[in-house]
Amino acid sequence: MSEEIAVVGSPDFTTGFRLAGVRRFENVPVDEKAERLDDAVTSALDDEGVGIVVMHDEDVEQLSRTVRQRVETSVEPVVVTLGGGTGSGNLREQIKRAIGIDLMDE
């Protein structure tokens, strides 16, 4: 069984992924993020069919401390954040966490 990509975020964020063929997504309207974002992320992380969870970088900052810690330490599924101030250092850490080695280490 292959694992799917899940996208969590506002409808504006998830639309492009849906058009690209991502079937698993959690739409959380901007005005409801305070109430629904933690539950949407937890649902994606708990789904055994999901291998990668994609979120906007700013949404991670809005998570409760418990869920944010789970996102930052999750190995399976891997959580990838996009946008905001995400630099190559953050991507490097995400890759290292996902596969267990630092590909950019000299």
Side-chain angles (χ1 to χ4, degrees), residues 1 3-9 24-26 28 36-55 59-60 63-81 97:
M1 180 176 115
E3 295 180 325
E4 293 187 69
I5 297 172
V7 182
V8 179
R24 176 73 167 86
F25 57 92
E26 294 281 343
V28 182
R36 295 186 45 207
L37 189 59
D38 279 359
D39 290 337
V41 171
T42 300
S43 174
L45 292 173
D46 290 342
D47 188 334
E48 292 183 12
V50 171
I52 299 172
V53 176
V54 179
M55 294 180 61
D59 288 344
V60 175
L63 295 171
S64 68
R65 190 175 125 201
T66 305
V67 177
R68 185 179 326 142
Q69 184 176 16
R70 186 171 173 202
V71 163
E72 291 171 350
T73 59
S74 180
V75 174
E76 193 174 317
V78 172
V79 179
V80 177
T81 59
R97 187 174 70 227

Side-chain angles (χ1 to χ4, degrees), residues 7-19 25-30 33 56 59:
V7 182
V8 179
S10 68
D12 290 341
F13 182 72
T14 62
T15 298
F17 292 95
R18 289 176 33 214
L19 292 172
F25 57 92
E26 294 281 343
N27 279 331
V28 182
V30 175
K33 280 190 181 178
H56 195 280
D59 288 344

Side-chain angles (χ1 to χ4, degrees), residues 91-106:
L91 181 59
R92 180 179 182 172
E93 286 302 314
Q94 291 174 3
I95 293 169
K96 183 177 174 183
R97 187 174 70 227
I99 65 174
I101 59 171
D102 187 352
L103 293 176
M104 298 177 214
D105 191 24
E106 294 180 18

